[in-house]
Amino acid sequence: MLPNPACVQLLSYGTAAVKAEETIHSTERPSASLAWVSDYAPCFGIQGDSVEILNTPEEFYQTLKTNFKGAKKRIVIASLYLGTGQLEKELVSAIEHACQRAKKAGNKDFEVHILLDYNRGSRGGEVSSRTMLTPLLERYPGMVQVNLYHTPDLSGYLKQYLPPKLDETVGVQHMKVYLFDDSLVMSGANLSDNYFTNRQDRYVQFNNCPEICNFFSGLVKTVSMFSLSLHADNSTKLHPQWEIHPYQGNNKDFKTAAGRSVSEYVRSVTNEQADKQTKKESKSDTYVYPLLQMALFGIHTEEDFVKQLFRSASEGVKISLATGYFNLTKHYQNIIVQESLANFNLLIASPQVNGFYGARGVMGNIPDAYTYIASSFYHLVKYYNMQCRIRLYEYYRSQWTYHVKGLWYYLPNQNRPFLSMMGSSNFGHRSVYRDVECQIALVTQNKQLQAQLHQEQTNFFANGVETNEVTFQQDDRYVPLWVRLASPFLRRYL
């Protein structure tokens, strides 16, 4: 992939930004360590003033509801599932309002594309994500399309005997894209009432960015092509342009064809963007790189990017990383602890704000598994005597749960991030190896946007308490023996 000249120019800004204050004695400049970013994904140049950080679940919900209702060109959604409560019904009503207006105006170009996960979207039986959307399919045929991604790894006896909820551990559609006309919100939040009220996540809105929106619209449609199409009678069928069934067809052929479809799509957009940037002088101060992670289909862009980001960080770089489900892959963990020179602050969920806290049955032990993983990581950091460079914080907020995911990258001697990552990935084993994920890497020299991103990070960490040896010795951190013994197995599905 050819590097984008304008993008490389902005990445080189990192040197100028710290040159006057730089006190470290390193031969590697920040520009040298970040110039590789343009090699990983399509590059979209925008103005940083078009990016807005939403701070609360209510603000996220009202933004979606208002903009879905006012959409005149398109609505494109990718999420794990859609809830079935009153707030979700109002969201569907907002989408229907846009459909009604387009139908009355004779606007045949208006379209609604919704992509959910098959298993999570089918949970509930008579009342589910599927039944929430079938009325739209019935009333607006041709205008509304709903597709359900089904992992090819859930097939045969595994599909036949693995019970609901547990079948989702095999792999899901996990991208979170909420697009209306030429604007979109990138988030880690699903479309369910708790994500609209007291489940904290990230929500980054890109306003009037048609090229970025075109990319994500095309991406959702590409993944939808090898997903199952939902019909008005709640039945599902293969997409008209697809021939291999995800769990009844040949597993290898399905994965190869799906990977080829996504790779060809991304490659075509990358080449198109490169041609545009070489033909015009860019006035952008912010660049956006979509990063995909679909290991089942041989796509590891996000993983490769993150590993290189950690490895290339020079001394003095600070990286703040947040995840609601802390289960770093061995690669990420080893690079952070043993290879990287950066300072890391990691914000994870305390047991009480884990979404599975208080759940019935085996699900109720999931927070115990995450506690054991966090304890193991803490003691690994201690073993390598890296406590001064790597700090682990637990998020706690009464009556709230925590689902934040993302990364903020600070150049040496800077108090505002130069790069941030946002999207669906938790940086864990599931995200890297099982699920369909998408993040954005945002690189900016826009001071106002940097300040917004820094304030966002500060707000999250304000609810964090640094862990220490005592943390994991408390009575409420007791981990049952069977969870400790099963941890190597469980980590493959968390």
Side-chain angles (χ1 to χ4, degrees), residues 220-387:
V220 170
K221 292 176 183 178
T222 300
V223 177
S224 295
M225 187 173 63
F226 52 82
S227 301
L228 296 170
S229 297
L230 182 67
H231 292 261
D233 62 358
N234 200 21
S235 64
T236 58
K237 297 180 182 178
L238 284 178
H239 191 281
Q241 296 176 273
W242 197 257
E243 298 179 349
I244 311 170
H245 199 279
Y247 60 87
Q248 294 176 351
N250 183 279
N251 182 279
K252 183 178 180 181
D253 290 348
F254 180 92
K255 290 179 179 179
T256 300
R260 184 186 306 115
S261 296
V262 175
S263 296
E264 288 179 352
Y265 171 70
V266 173
R267 189 180 304 113
S268 67
V269 175
T270 301
N271 293 337
E272 180 182 338
Q273 287 301 116
D275 290 341
K276 287 181 180 179
Q277 293 295 340
T278 54
K279 292 177 182 178
K280 67 178 182 181
E281 182 180 352
S282 175
K283 298 180 180 180
S284 304
D285 62 11
T286 301
Y287 289 91
V288 171
Y289 304 85
L291 303 172
L292 309 185
Q293 186 65 24
M294 306 176 186
L296 289 184
F297 311 134
I299 298 170
H300 305 269
T301 311
E302 179 198 302
E303 180 188 15
D304 293 340
F305 179 92
V306 171
K307 289 193 292 188
Q308 180 65 12
L309 187 69
F310 291 170
R311 283 190 174 119
S312 66
S314 59
E315 187 177 350
V317 165
K318 185 181 80 172
I319 297 175
S320 294
L321 185 148
T323 173
Y325 299 111
F326 182 68
N327 181 29
L328 295 176
T329 68
K330 292 296 183 182
H331 290 300
Y332 290 167
Q333 180 174 281
N334 291 340
I335 294 170
I336 290 173
V337 176
Q338 300 179 51
E339 298 182 38
S340 182
L341 298 177
N343 295 308
F344 283 86
N345 293 323
L346 295 90
L347 184 64
I348 68 174
S350 65
Q352 295 83 359
V353 300
N354 186 293
F356 293 95
Y357 185 75
R360 296 180 180 179
V362 69
M363 294 294 184
N365 290 114
I366 290 179
D368 295 328
Y370 283 112
T371 292
Y372 185 70
I373 292 168
S375 175
S376 300
F377 179 81
Y378 171 82
H379 287 98
L380 181 69
V381 171
K382 186 176 179 181
Y383 175 82
Y384 282 97
N385 196 29
M386 290 292 175
Q387 299 98 312

Side-chain angles (χ1 to χ4, degrees), residues 11 31-40 304-310 312 419:
L11 293 167
S31 61
S33 65
L34 285 174
W36 54 268
V37 172
S38 296
D39 296 337
Y40 276 82
D304 293 340
F305 179 92
V306 171
K307 289 193 292 188
Q308 180 65 12
L309 187 69
F310 291 170
S312 66
L419 180 152

Side-chain angles (χ1 to χ4, degrees), residues 31 62 75 93 115 151 154 253 343 360 371 382 385 408 416 428 480 492:
S31 61
Q62 293 299 335
I75 296 172
S93 295
L115 172 66
T151 176
L154 182 66
D253 290 348
N343 295 308
R360 296 180 180 179
T371 292
K382 186 176 179 181
N385 196 29
W408 299 261
R416 291 177 296 195
R492 297 163 55 192

Side-chain angles (χ1 to χ4, degrees), residues 119-148:
N119 289 301
R120 186 62 182 88
S122 300
R123 192 197 294 182
E126 294 183 2
V127 181
S128 66
S129 302
R130 293 167 62 159
T131 61
M132 289 283 288
L133 296 170
T134 48
L136 292 180
L137 292 169
E138 183 178 1
R139 295 166 192 161
Y140 306 98
M143 183 183 292
V144 178
Q145 294 185 34
V146 179
N147 293 279
L148 305 170

